[in-house]
Structure formats: structure tokens, C-alpha cells
Amino acid sequence: LRVDESKLTTEYFEQLSRESAELCCAIVPSSEERVRQEVAFRSVLEVARRAFPDASLHHFGSTALGFSLANAGDDFLGKGHTLLEIFVRILTHLKMKDMDLSISLGSNAYDAYTPAQLVEKLGIVMKNAGMRDVKMLTRARVPIVKIRDAITGIRCDIGFQSKLVLYNTRLLKAYSRIDPRFRELVFIVKYWSKQRNINEPYFGTLSSYCFVLMVIHFLQIRGVLPCLQQIAHDGQNVPNIAIDEANVYFCEDVDTLVSSGKWTCTNAETVGELVVAFFKYFSAEFPYVHGVASVRTGSVLSKEDKGWTKDRQQEMNRSVEDPFETTNNVGRPVDKETLFEVRGEFIRASKILCSAGGVGTGAAYEAIL
Ligand code: ATP
Ligand code: MG
């Protein structure tokens, strides 16, 4: 990948940062949306208990993270935005509001049913209760029921995931509280991946979760984020808190981490600079063949050391490690065919961002649309 970066001026990066901030404003859920989510949550719980009386329900994933910026969103339409930007807002809104919900049950329920049977049983009560668009994905890696709540219209993915999803959601939340640039970059990358159709693990591309881990990894390497799993409270050894054979410890008290000066960010780059650098990193610099992006260690690990065989044709597969479940290869959905699609999109975005050096070119929108 050869691009002429000499044309990228401070002004251009400022423009990119402004475009990024606008995009974030446009796609932040409103407070009304959050109330509707709460209503949908309660109705899902109520119906789930008809099938499983001891069920408890947990909210995880992006809607639980509340990746939201203060006072953003509501006054967007009043600001003289272009039609394109308004279109972007509507489209993204539609695509990003699925709630991820996880049911936990008393332990004997898991002995009595397979994950697919749990999903079938749940799907049937959801249908009978009048939930809309009920689909049972019994053959997915993690079987889920998809529904649309009849009252609020909110779409939900409901599964019986392990507790680890709640911990990794908390981990991402802690990272989002350290530096606001993380959230903005996540919005841009998620939005771009959905527009470019490379955010569908079911069809061989990457999950949002994988993109978020890639963003954290990149920001760790860049000195914007620390590695929370390597920081002990007492400055001594990192404790071991075992859940489902994983160590789920991480330094969650990020306020103290920052105020005590235990973590000081040395990177002063703007969001615009980081957006350009992110796409450059994953299109030209990251060592896909030998390396694994590891948020857990804040570094690139070697595939060999992890016992993840390297394979040129599968280079993206086995390139991102789950922060807790270290055997979980988060890039798994990507295969020989989709690899070119995904890598190609990174390269495309990077080229557009690096070549649109002029101010006012709308490069961010162009790169991600
Ligand atoms: P979207 O808005 O696209 O739904 P999201 O931020 O909710 O994005 P998802 O990819 O839907 O991201 O993942 C939601 C949550 O599911 C993650 O926060 C994580 O807890 C869990 N998860 C998803 N994929 C995996 C995976 N491969 N391994 C472990 N946990 C996963
Ligand atoms: Mg989700």
C-alpha cells in the first residue's frame, strides 16, 4: 500500500475530527431510545419466565455499553446538516439499535437441554406471546432467538451465553471511560464496517465485537489506552478471578487509575489522526500472518506461541484474541474468500483517507460510505 501522506495537513486532520464528531452525534441513541430499551427488556424477561421460571436476564453488547456522548443527538437536525448526513443518521440508527440480551438459568437447566433446545423453547414462547419477527438461529456458534418487541419495535438477540459476555462488556465500558477518543473511533469503525458489509459474522465477516477489540488493541499500541488486565490495584501481582476457566480480573476503577497518575496518556493525537492511523495500521502494518492482536496483554502475540497455526490463506482468522477466553479466536468467521473482502475494505478506507488531503472533501464520509 503506497499513499502520499505528505499532503495530509493539520487542517485536514481537524476537518476529519469534525466529521467524526458529527457522525458520532448523529448515531448516539437518544434518551427516549433508552427508555424504550428498558420497556423491551422487561417484556422479554416476563415472557422468558413463562418458559424458564427461574430465568434472569442481562443486557450486554453495544446498547448496554451506552457508548453515548453528552448532549449529543437531539439537536442534530437543527444544525444545517446535509441530506447525506441526515440519511447517515437514519440508516445507522436503524442498524445499530439491536439489544443483546443473555438469559441465565439455574444450573440443572443446562443439563436438561442443549443450547439449541433452549433456543427453540424460548422461541416458541416468544411467538406465542406475540413477539414479532421471531427467528431461531439454532445453528449459530452461539444459538440465539431474534425477536422484535411488539410494543416498542426494539429488536433483540436473546441467547444463553456464558457470564463472560457480561465481563467483556464491563471491560469495554471501562476502556470507554478512560479516553473519549476510543468511543469516537469505535463509532466510526463500526459504522464503516456496517456500511461496507463486512460486519456479518454469520456470513464470514467480522463481528462488531472484533472491530472494537481491534480498536482497543490499536489504541494500546498507540499509547492512548492502558492495558487494564495488567494493572493490579495494589501495584503488586495481578489477581486471578476465575469464571468459566478464564481470569476475568481487570482494573475497573479507572477514575482512580487516572487521578492517581498510575496511568498518564502520552498521546495527544486528534481523532482525525487516529482514524487515519487505525486504517493504515490494519491495512499495512499489522502482521496478520504471524501475529495475534491481544487486548489482554496490550501487545501483538505470536501465533506460534499461542499454538494458533499460521496459514497465509487464513491470515485474518486467528488474528484477534478474546481478552478473557484466550482460546477464543474472535476473527474466526473470516475464511479464505471473505479475507480479501475484509482486507480490501481496510485498504480502500486507508487509501481514501490518505489521498483526500484537501480540506472540505468529506473524506471521512466518503471512506466509510
Ligand atoms: P452491534 O451494534 O453491531 O450489535 P455490538 O457492540 O453489540 O455491536 P456484537 O458483535 O453484537 O457487538 O457483540 C455483542 C457482545 O457479544 C460483545 O460485547 C461481547 O460481549 C459478545 N460477543 C460477541 N462476539 C463474541 C465472540 N466472538 N466472543 C465472545 N464474546 C462475543
Ligand atoms: Mg450487538
Side-chain angles (χ1 to χ4, degrees):
L1 175 76
R2 270 189 206 105
V3 283
D4 179 11
E5 280 173 66
S6 58
K7 280 192 261 150
L8 305 186
T9 59
T10 317
E11 247 186 322
Y12 172 64
F13 286 124
E14 277 169 9
Q15 167 78 17
L16 263 185
S17 302
R18 272 196 302 275
E19 285 179 11
S20 307
E22 273 174 14
L23 188 73
C24 290
C25 279
I27 61 190
V28 154
S30 63
S31 42
E32 181 217 318
E33 181 77 19
R34 284 193 292 273
V35 172
R36 283 164 11 106
Q37 285 171 353
E38 181 67 35
V39 172
F41 180 94
R42 285 178 201 199
S43 62
V44 167
L45 177 60
E46 196 260 312
V47 175
R49 285 198 171 144
R50 295 183 202 165
F52 308 102
D54 69 344
S56 54
L57 189 65
H58 309 276
H59 185 188
F60 68 104
S62 59
T63 48
L65 273 164
F67 268 165
S68 57
L69 302 165
N71 298 328
D74 296 334
D75 58 349
F76 181 80
L77 290 172
K79 278 195 195 155
H81 291 271
T82 62
L83 260 182
L84 172 66
E85 290 161 68
I86 293 165
F87 172 70
V88 159
R89 175 196 172 111
I90 295 166
L91 232 164
T92 316
H93 223 78
L94 292 175
K95 284 192 175 186
M96 284 212 181
K97 65 181 182 187
D98 290 17
M99 266 211 289
D100 293 299
L101 299 173
S102 171
I103 294 180
S104 45
L105 305 170
S107 55
N108 21 10
Y110 299 105
D111 301 332
Y113 303 98
T114 64
Q117 287 168 333
L118 287 171
V119 156
E120 262 165 31
K121 194 168 149 90
L122 181 68
I124 292 166
V125 290
M126 289 288 159
K127 262 190 192 154
N128 292 341
M131 292 291 189
R132 306 282 159 81
D133 305 340
V134 177
K135 281 194 205 84
M136 300 170 225
L137 305 187
T138 49
R139 280 185 297 184
R141 185 185 68 95
V142 177
I144 54 168
V145 179
K146 285 182 156 307
I147 61 132
R148 187 161 58 84
D149 178 51
I151 299 163
T152 60
I154 301 249
R155 292 179 190 281
C156 307
D157 291 349
I158 317 163
F160 297 82
Q161 293 88 345
S162 94
K163 280 202 201 80
L164 290 178
V165 295
L166 306 178
Y167 285 93
N168 62 39
T169 298
R170 267 166 61 185
L171 178 70
L172 304 192
K173 188 159 198 160
Y175 278 115
S176 77
R177 283 172 35 228
I178 296 180
D179 196 300
R181 292 173 290 179
F182 166 55
R183 224 186 247 159
E184 277 196 45
L185 204 51
V186 164
F187 274 132
I188 306 294
V189 171
K190 255 179 82 165
Y191 177 72
W192 158 80
S193 68
K194 291 189 188 228
Q195 288 302 315
R196 303 303 303 170
N197 287 323
I198 52 164
N199 182 316
E200 287 187 274
Y202 205 67
F203 298 108
T205 53
L206 298 172
S207 62
S208 291
Y209 180 59
C210 186
F211 285 113
V212 175
L213 294 177
M214 290 165 93
V215 170
I216 299 177
H217 165 74
F218 163 75
L219 293 176
Q220 285 176 331
I221 297 282
R222 206 88 184 163
V224 175
L225 292 177
C227 174
L228 293 176
Q229 289 168 273
Q230 304 290 326
I231 301 172
H233 318 279
D234 54 2
Q236 306 284 312
N237 293 330
V238 171
N240 186 1
I241 304 175
I243 302 270
D244 292 348
E245 293 164 35
N247 181 6
V248 298
Y249 170 80
F250 63 96
C251 174
E252 199 165 12
D253 183 5
V254 295
D255 297 328
T256 309
L257 186 68
V258 174
S259 66
S260 68
K262 264 208 228 160
W263 163 254
T264 331
C265 174
T266 50
N267 178 314
E269 286 176 296
T270 61
V271 172
E273 287 168 298
L274 291 171
V275 168
V276 173
F278 173 83
F279 285 106
K280 193 170 161 224
Y281 181 70
F282 281 109
S283 55
E285 295 163 0
F286 184 79
Y288 288 100
V289 178
H290 304 277
V292 181
S294 165
V295 164
R296 174 177 60 96
T297 59
S299 65
V300 178
L301 301 176
S302 116
K303 283 194 179 158
E304 228 129 64
D305 291 352
K306 275 194 70 69
W308 286 3
T309 47
K310 54 177 195 264
D311 173 351
R312 242 177 208 289
Q313 299 214 297
Q314 293 264 5
E315 54 185 47
M316 191 159 245
N317 193 325
R318 308 191 197 91
S319 276
V320 181
E321 176 197 66
D322 185 85
F324 295 128
E325 205 182 356
T326 56
T327 53
N328 179 359
N329 156 24
V330 183
R332 179 191 309 100
V334 179
D335 59 28
K336 286 202 282 279
E337 276 82 51
T338 51
L339 163 69
F340 293 102
E341 235 174 277
V342 178
R343 286 293 309 274
E345 287 299 338
F346 272 102
I347 293 169
R348 174 185 179 273
S350 187
K351 272 191 180 153
I352 294 175
L353 286 167
C354 289
S355 59
V359 175
T361 50
Y365 289 116
E366 198 193 323
I368 54 190
L369 270 171

